[in-house]
Amino acid sequence: MISNRASEALAGGSLIRKMFDEGARMRRELGSDRVYDFSLGNPDLPPPGLVASAIRELAFDPPPDLHFYMNNAGHEAVRSAIARRIARRTGLPVAASRVLMTSGAAAGLNAALRVLLDPGDEVLVLAPYFVEYPAYIRNHGGQPVIVPCDPETFLPDPGRIAAAMTPRTRVLLLNSPNNPSGVIYPAPVLVSVRDALARRGEELGTRVTVLSDEPYADIVYDGRTVPETLSIFTDMILCTSYSKSLALPGERIGYAVVHPGAEDGDRLFAAMVQAHRSLGFVNAPATFQRVIQRVYDALDALPDGAAGEGGALVDVRRYEVRRNRLHGILTEAGFECRLPEGALYLFPRAMIADDVAFAMACTKEGILLVPGSGFGMPGFVRLAFCVDEGMIERSREAFLRVGRTFGTR
Amino acid sequence: MISNRASEALAGGSLIRKMFDEGARMRRELGSDRVYDFSLGNPDLPPPGLVASAIRELAFDPPPDLHFYMNNAGHEAVRSAIARRIARRTGLPVAASRVLMTSGAAAGLNAALRVLLDPGDEVLVLAPYFVEYPAYIRNHGGQPVIVPCDPETFLPDPGRIAAAMTPRTRVLLLNSPNNPSGVIYPAPVLVSVRDALARRGEELGTRVTVLSDEPYADIVYDGRTVPETLSIFTDMILCTSYSKSLALPGERIGYAVVHPGAEDGDRLFAAMVQAHRSLGFVNAPATFQRVIQRVYDALDALPDGAAGEGGALVDVRRYEVRRNRLHGILTEAGFECRLPEGALYLFPRAMIADDVAFAMACTKEGILLVPGSGFGMPGFVRLAFCVDEGMIERSREAFLRVGRTFGTR
């Protein structure tokens, strides 16, 4: 009954979700206390107080059209609030007419790929990458072309990107801060990537659009900031969500921005709105569009500097504490692991070459993590640290046992 | 920058949305009082009180994981509540494990088409049809094959359906109560359709899955009921939403059910969950899953018969009054128009053969309606009656003028 295509996809499945389901099974079997589940990037901190207040206000005093359809692109007020903030941050003339409210970043990415690709077109994906990107690309008949980052720094290599380009290359997918590596791509690296795309594109007579997936832009540590991709690239669509910055992953609310200087940008935007509708999203969830608008209104009413510009009001410091602690435990256990600059993941080297076998071995100690193979980076494993501090602490002995079994020191 | 495919889609556009935008423009120009907008099926009644209470409860006393990710298929409690109600209604052993919470019916339809179709496969679409179906099918490389209904009764013709089947036919899309015709397909007609599919399928050595889109199942008039498609078809996926029955169109909340007897049903369901995730829906909006669950809990706590079985708690009687009034006005103006049995639309014959020209002519009187061409049924126009009673009343003179200009009596 199911198509060949779906049958293949099913056989592939998602390693992350398999681990998530395995975690549920293990918790039933061993009890929650003896399972250390680092498999899913499910922000577990409550949304910031402004979000909760906005929801209460809307619940108790709902505007009459709260749950109705609106313009497919979203409510004008929230689109304007977003445009104003981006314009202020970048100095670019970003207007509400280039902001599409989307059902999360995944919706924006799918809509963008739908309008950028014809069947057989190629999309450059930098490894390591978010596990769903190849599926997103294949949804629209595209061909993912994996371009490995430097295995030491996890940074994009402009030379390898240029070398991977063909006349069919239409899109470069960017994701910084990166899931799973936690690396922030620095501005000079992005500039080199832009120049490589332009140079090689000129030789090939093609133009590559950058599709930048930035849900972690506000989740950064050690006082770091993330370069403004809109200030570097022009043929670009930015997709993001409030899943991490406002801890609303289950609500599916985000937005996409078509760069004000993008070639044929008005048609591109109109096509995005149509694709977002016709793929079945129709419009971003109505109530949460208003929630976001009210959060921005409340932020605008605060005195200067009282809140982060980006709206990152979730308690990032608490994620930082957890990052530090889990990194300390892994290092103590003998893992080789960079300290992530952003996002919610540690991405250490697996202690044996076969990361899938290593992840399976870890489950014997009650530890759930995701093999790097799922992210196009075999030999590594991903651990989400958006988890309870107590679980991190309790996991120490289990990691030390893994270290004693597999470690080299 | 945009693909050929997107460029074509853009050129097509949606007649409904064009009318919606035209309406906004006209309201600005003429003032709201002189525009009679019947173009969009945007339920304008407030959600039933149970919905509002559930939202208030959740806002005031949120469960700690309210906004988190959950199993991609949805929260177990709401899936169980839905499964129980369907099982009770149909006598079929429908389990929660076959209920997928979706971001509206459009999400369920796209996920289903994604898993049922390989590129080039054909989908039978009964005209008149919901305007987005061809786009949904093309999203997944499918080929829509339009099968006209009887132009007098708007009922499916089993003979024509069988004749349209080829070895590539994989899906029949059903939509009853029908948008735009308002017709409920009676059980004997559906049984004939089922038998025709089986008979012709056997000759061709193929098996056709019925994809039944039922967002209007609870919006029916004159004491009518809608046949249970799950009791008639077996290789079937039901998709629906709470957009109309609970007046929540902007929130994107609905569900899909894979029939308990469907061939290879478990894999089909697993593939649906994966497709819903990978198309970018990830999961149905979290808070509104809980809202639906609480509405069902509240209904279960009511004494027997105090609320409609289907959860149709929006004020259907008020839609019925509007239907009657608008139908009266159209008839008075000389339109030839059936009284719809369900859904939110009147679908009269246009007064001249060219329905697009007729719709444009109506805008001169301030009347916005959608040409039947958009629904695969030229020669008709669609009017949504989920609009303010005052607007219906005020539109009378405009319709009478249209009648005097174009009418034959």
Side-chain angles (χ1 to χ4, degrees):
Chain A
M1 200 161 175
I2 80 175
S3 65
N4 300 327
R5 181 168 69 179
S7 192
E8 276 164 36
L10 203 54
S14 154
L15 285 166
I16 296 181
R17 281 288 164 175
K18 275 183 195 158
M19 283 291 165
F20 185 73
D21 295 341
E22 174 71 5
R25 198 190 59 72
M26 283 171 63
R27 266 185 290 274
R28 278 194 304 272
E29 209 161 281
L30 303 176
S32 315
D33 270 19
R34 304 198 35 221
V35 177
Y36 318 110
D37 186 351
F38 298 98
S39 64
L40 192 69
N42 194 357
D44 71 323
L45 297 182
L50 287 181
V51 169
S53 323
I55 294 173
R56 277 195 303 269
E57 283 169 31
L58 288 164
F60 280 87
D61 190 15
D65 61 348
L66 178 58
H67 307 295
F68 292 3
Y69 290 126
M70 78 295 302
N71 182 311
N72 287 153
H75 282 297
E76 184 68 22
V78 65
R79 297 167 65 202
S80 295
I82 292 167
R84 271 199 308 275
R85 296 179 90 79
I86 298 176
R88 204 159 60 203
R89 233 166 51 208
T90 62
L92 292 165
V94 175
S97 59
R98 288 288 174 90
V99 177
L100 166 64
M101 300 308 295
T102 62
S103 305
L109 293 170
N110 271 282
L113 290 166
R114 178 77 198 164
V115 305
L116 293 171
L117 302 180
D118 277 307
D121 283 346
E122 294 168 2
V123 178
L124 304 181
V125 179
L126 306 176
Y129 52 77
F130 174 52
V131 70
E132 293 273 22
Y133 287 162
Y136 293 173
I137 294 162
R138 286 197 200 98
N139 281 341
H140 311 288
Q143 191 58 43
V145 174
I146 310 301
V147 184
C149 285
D150 181 303
E152 293 306 316
T153 62
F154 298 123
L155 290 178
D157 178 337
R160 294 184 90 151
I161 290 172
M165 286 169 67
T166 77
R168 294 305 302 267
T169 307
R170 301 278 299 128
V171 176
L172 168 70
L173 240 174
L174 275 187
N175 173 226
S176 164
N178 183 262
N179 173 5
S181 76
V183 167
I184 299 172
Y185 299 164
V189 171
L190 293 174
V191 168
S192 303
V193 168
R194 177 195 66 196
D195 294 345
L197 290 178
R199 226 171 11 243
R200 183 67 183 134
E202 204 162 308
E203 288 167 16
L204 293 165
T206 59
R207 207 157 165 159
V208 171
T209 300
V210 170
L211 186 53
S212 190
D213 179 23
E214 310 190 3
Y216 299 102
D218 294 321
I219 312 293
V220 293
Y221 308 113
D222 311 313
R224 283 195 172 74
T225 55
V226 175
E228 288 290 349
T229 47
L230 288 166
S231 301
I232 295 173
F233 301 97
T234 304
D235 281 332
M236 171 180 158
I237 300 171
L238 183 155
C239 294
T240 190
S241 82
Y242 298 94
S243 296
K244 319 294 176 178
S245 61
L246 297 182
L248 294 171
E251 305 298 351
R252 317 312 305 143
I253 181 73
Y255 63 86
V257 180
V258 173
H259 194 290
E263 188 197 11
D264 207 10
D266 287 340
R267 284 182 75 233
L268 180 58
F269 185 82
M272 286 273 291
V273 177
Q274 187 180 56
H276 189 259
R277 185 186 76 224
S278 289
L279 285 169
F281 300 105
V282 184
N283 53 249
T287 294
F288 279 87
Q289 291 192 42
R290 306 259 200 190
V291 169
I292 302 302
Q293 181 204 324
R294 286 178 186 224
V295 167
Y296 283 134
D297 288 349
L299 284 175
D300 286 343
L302 289 177
D304 259 12
E309 250 294 284
L313 298 172
V314 80
D315 189 356
V316 177
R317 290 290 297 275
R318 198 159 155 201
Y319 285 137
E320 191 167 314
V321 169
R322 293 167 174 189
R323 174 199 68 160
N324 294 344
R325 183 60 189 130
L326 186 58
H327 186 265
I329 290 173
L330 289 186
T331 306
E332 185 187 356
F335 280 86
E336 187 186 317
C337 183
R338 291 172 53 101
L339 197 63
E341 299 161 350
L344 299 169
Y345 313 98
L346 295 174
F347 199 57
R349 228 174 243 289
M351 288 178 154
I352 52 177
D354 182 341
D355 54 301
V356 178
F358 182 69
M360 287 315 295
C362 286
T363 63
K364 299 218 174 75
E365 297 293 346
I367 298 171
L368 292 171
L369 33 70
V370 191
S373 299
F375 308 95
M377 204 74 165
F380 291 81
V381 288
R382 191 193 78 168
L383 297 89
F385 55 79
C386 44
V387 295
D388 178 66
E389 289 85 356
M391 189 182 87
I392 294 177
E393 221 43 69
R394 283 196 308 278
S395 72
R396 179 170 166 272
E397 286 299 329
F399 278 113
L400 293 180
R401 280 193 297 275
V402 166
R404 281 194 293 273
T405 309
F406 295 99
T408 51
R409 60 177 195 192
Chain B
M1 199 161 175
I2 80 175
S3 65
N4 300 327
R5 181 168 68 179
S7 192
E8 276 164 36
L10 205 55
S14 154
L15 284 168
I16 296 181
R17 281 288 165 175
K18 274 183 195 158
M19 283 291 165
F20 185 74
D21 295 341
E22 174 71 6
R25 197 190 60 73
M26 284 170 63
R27 267 185 290 273
R28 279 194 304 273
E29 208 161 280
L30 303 176
S32 314
D33 270 19
R34 303 199 35 221
V35 177
Y36 317 109
D37 186 351
F38 298 98
S39 64
L40 192 68
N42 195 357
D44 72 322
L45 297 182
L50 287 181
V51 170
S53 323
I55 294 173
R56 278 196 303 269
E57 283 168 31
L58 288 165
F60 198 74
D61 188 16
D65 61 348
L66 178 59
H67 307 295
F68 292 3
Y69 290 127
M70 77 298 301
N71 181 311
N72 286 153
H75 282 297
E76 184 69 21
V78 65
R79 296 167 66 203
S80 296
I82 291 167
R84 271 199 307 277
R85 296 179 90 77
I86 298 176
R88 204 159 59 204
R89 233 166 51 208
T90 62
L92 291 165
V94 175
S97 58
R98 289 288 175 87
V99 177
L100 166 64
M101 299 308 296
T102 62
S103 305
L109 293 170
N110 271 280
L113 290 165
R114 179 76 198 164
V115 305
L116 294 171
L117 302 180
D118 278 308
D121 284 345
E122 295 168 2
V123 178
L124 304 181
V125 179
L126 305 176
Y129 51 77
F130 175 52
V131 70
E132 293 274 21
Y133 287 162
Y136 293 173
I137 294 162
R138 286 196 199 97
N139 281 340
H140 311 288
Q143 191 59 42
V145 175
I146 309 301
V147 184
C149 285
D150 181 303
E152 293 307 315
T153 63
F154 299 123
L155 290 178
D157 177 338
R160 293 184 90 151
I161 290 172
M165 285 169 67
T166 78
R168 295 303 302 266
T169 307
R170 301 278 298 127
V171 176
L172 168 70
L173 241 173
L174 273 187
N175 172 225
S176 163
N178 183 261
N179 173 5
S181 76
V183 166
I184 299 172
Y185 298 164
V189 171
L190 294 174
V191 167
S192 304
V193 168
R194 178 194 67 196
D195 294 345
L197 291 178
R199 227 173 8 245
R200 183 67 183 134
E202 204 162 309
E203 288 167 16
L204 292 165
T206 59
R207 207 156 164 161
V208 171
T209 300
V210 169
L211 186 53
S212 189
D213 179 24
E214 310 190 2
Y216 299 102
D218 294 320
I219 312 293
V220 293
Y221 308 112
D222 311 312
R224 282 195 173 74
T225 56
V226 175
E228 288 290 349
T229 47
L230 288 166
S231 301
I232 296 172
F233 300 98
T234 305
D235 281 332
M236 171 180 159
I237 299 172
L238 183 156
C239 293
T240 190
S241 82
Y242 298 95
S243 296
K244 317 294 176 179
S245 60
L246 298 182
L248 294 171
E251 306 298 352
R252 316 311 305 140
I253 182 72
Y255 63 87
V257 180
V258 173
H259 194 290
E263 188 197 12
D264 208 8
D266 287 339
R267 285 181 75 231
L268 180 58
F269 185 81
M272 285 273 293
V273 177
Q274 188 180 56
H276 189 259
R277 185 186 76 224
S278 289
L279 285 169
F281 299 104
V282 184
N283 52 249
T287 293
F288 279 88
Q289 290 192 41
R290 306 258 201 191
V291 168
I292 302 303
Q293 181 204 322
R294 287 181 185 223
V295 168
Y296 283 134
D297 288 350
L299 284 176
D300 287 342
L302 289 177
D304 260 12
E309 249 295 285
L313 298 172
V314 80
D315 189 357
V316 177
R317 291 289 297 276
R318 197 159 155 201
Y319 285 137
E320 190 166 315
V321 168
R322 293 167 173 188
R323 174 199 68 159
N324 294 344
R325 184 60 189 131
L326 187 58
H327 186 266
I329 290 173
L330 290 186
T331 306
E332 184 187 357
F335 281 86
E336 186 187 319
C337 183
R338 290 173 54 102
L339 196 63
E341 300 161 350
L344 299 168
Y345 314 98
L346 296 174
F347 198 58
R349 228 175 244 289
M351 288 178 154
I352 52 176
D354 182 342
D355 53 302
V356 178
F358 182 69
M360 288 314 295
C362 286
T363 64
K364 299 220 175 74
E365 296 293 347
I367 297 172
L368 293 171
L369 34 70
V370 191
S373 299
F375 307 95
M377 204 75 165
F380 291 80
V381 290
R382 191 193 79 168
L383 297 90
F385 55 78
C386 43
V387 295
D388 178 66
E389 288 86 356
M391 189 183 87
I392 294 177
E393 220 43 69
R394 283 197 307 278
S395 71
R396 178 170 168 274
E397 287 298 329
F399 278 112
L400 293 179
R401 280 194 296 274
V402 167
R404 282 193 293 272
T405 308
F406 293 100
T408 50
R409 63 177 196 193

